[in-house]
Amino acid sequence: MYRVCSSCGADCALLKCACLAAYYCNLTCQQKHHLVHQCECTEHLLKVIVKKRTALDRLKEQSSPGVGSVELMTLEQELAREYCKVGRLKVNSLQPAIWPEAATHCQQALHLHRKVEISRGLLCGAAARAAAGKLVQKVAPYGLYDTLRDLGDIYRLMQKDSDALRVLQEALVEVRSDIAQESTPQLQEALAEILHATGSLYIDQHYGNRQIKNWTSGSATKALLEEALSIRRTLARFGPAASELFRLLADVYRILDMHDEARNILKEALDLGF
């Protein structure tokens, strides 16, 4: 079967990268495209993970037991970012057979994010913890929430709804906790995305076949989606996912016999160009 060459665009590419996501006419085309492709090549990223893991193990040997260091936390965050990236790419490949691998990579990332939070707590003094937090955020801003949300998406694809709900609820707790300390537009947007994902999961669980019977979670789902939309309105940031958010909320209103609200939300979506 012929594929389009990722380098020159020819439609007779037979040479495939080990990651199975790119095809080339020949080795020359592959080498020309290497710098571009390496950012999305899971095989290359896995080699990066091995190098960073080795560096992390070496740094741990040099560090005092039980003492968090900014350098160690930064490296752990970098490693978590790479794990999460590989997990996301494997999901985007749309090959169900490798979704469990994607989940494993995101779980590794989540484990590292949690370790960083524990290490920050071991630092002496509030100022040191705050400084460490700022440095870590530069490496992987809101990485914990992104990882939890990605893992929730993977669990949904694997039809593990209870696991998906568990990680999304953890994400809600984490982001609300951070907002309570310091609310920023970025954190509010992260909250809106997680609320949206959680509300969508509730609908899949209780309303997937569009034939609802005795749905007791309707009010809870409505509250989640309404809060997500309220944040979007306040920030004036709707983005590509806003169309689905309006549609889901309109569906929930119809389920709850709130037909005026459903019409109003659809009119708002049309006025915004969705």
Side-chain angles (χ1 to χ4, degrees):
M1 180 179 179
Y2 292 107
R3 302 282 185 131
V4 174
C5 178
S6 297
S7 180
C8 70
D11 60 358
C12 57
L14 291 174
L15 177 64
K16 62 182 176 182
C17 178
C19 71
L20 307 180
Y23 285 75
Y24 301 98
C25 299
N26 47 48
L27 193 57
T28 301
C29 278
Q30 186 176 22
Q31 290 172 340
K32 287 181 179 178
H33 194 244
H34 175 68
L35 290 178
V36 176
H37 179 56
Q38 66 179 1
C39 297
E40 298 181 349
C41 177
T42 53
E43 291 298 307
H44 172 77
L45 292 172
L46 287 172
K47 292 176 182 177
V48 171
I49 285 174
V50 171
K51 290 180 180 178
K52 289 186 180 294
R53 174 65 72 181
T54 301
L56 180 62
D57 291 340
R58 190 178 299 118
L59 185 60
K60 285 179 179 177
E61 292 175 357
Q62 300 169 358
S63 303
S64 301
V67 178
S69 91
V70 173
E71 186 180 2
L72 186 64
M73 287 186 285
T74 302
L75 190 52
E76 286 174 333
Q77 284 288 73
E78 290 177 357
L79 185 56
R81 182 180 60 193
E82 300 300 335
Y83 272 122
C84 199
K85 188 186 298 182
V86 171
R88 198 173 295 130
L89 288 169
K90 285 185 177 289
V91 168
N92 291 341
S93 70
L94 300 179
Q95 299 179 52
I98 64 173
W99 287 345
E101 293 180 34
T104 298
H105 288 298
C106 285
Q107 287 164 355
Q108 290 277 9
L110 186 57
H111 174 69
L112 287 163
H113 284 308
R114 286 169 173 159
K115 283 186 65 179
V116 169
E117 290 302 310
I118 293 172
S119 296
R120 283 176 59 187
L122 294 174
L123 293 174
C124 296
R129 288 192 290 273
K134 289 180 179 179
L135 285 172
V136 167
Q137 286 295 315
K138 287 183 180 179
V139 177
Y142 314 108
L144 176 60
Y145 321 130
D146 290 340
T147 302
L148 286 165
R149 191 176 64 250
D150 287 346
L151 189 54
D153 289 343
I154 295 170
Y155 283 145
R156 288 181 69 180
L157 288 171
M158 297 170 66
Q159 298 183 342
K160 294 185 175 182
D161 287 353
S162 59
D163 289 329
L165 183 58
R166 173 177 52 80
V167 295
L168 287 172
Q169 287 175 336
E170 180 182 349
L172 282 175
V173 170
E174 293 288 347
V175 73
R176 287 191 193 280
S177 175
D178 284 353
I179 287 174
Q181 297 179 39
E182 181 184 6
S183 180
T184 66
Q186 291 81 6
L187 281 173
Q188 289 289 342
E189 187 162 7
L191 176 59
E193 290 174 355
I194 297 166
L195 288 164
H196 181 170
T198 308
S200 176
L201 175 59
Y202 277 161
I203 290 176
D204 281 352
Q205 286 182 315
H206 302 282
Y207 188 43
N209 59 4
R210 294 294 191 269
Q211 293 181 354
I212 191 65
K213 292 182 179 179
N214 300 322
W215 185 27
T216 58
S217 301
S219 296
T221 305
K222 179 174 77 73
L224 289 167
L225 296 176
E226 284 179 338
E227 185 179 358
L229 184 56
S230 175
I231 293 170
R232 293 291 184 197
R233 288 168 175 153
T234 301
L235 296 175
R237 295 180 184 176
F238 290 97
S243 177
E244 185 195 37
L245 177 58
F246 280 109
R247 180 183 59 78
L248 290 175
L249 189 52
D251 281 347
V252 173
Y253 283 146
R254 283 195 291 264
I255 295 168
L256 298 175
D257 293 328
M258 300 172 66
H259 300 294
D260 289 341
E261 287 82 355
R263 282 191 290 270
N264 290 338
I265 207 70
L266 290 174
K267 183 180 183 302
E268 181 181 352
L270 288 172
D271 291 343
L272 289 170
F274 294 110

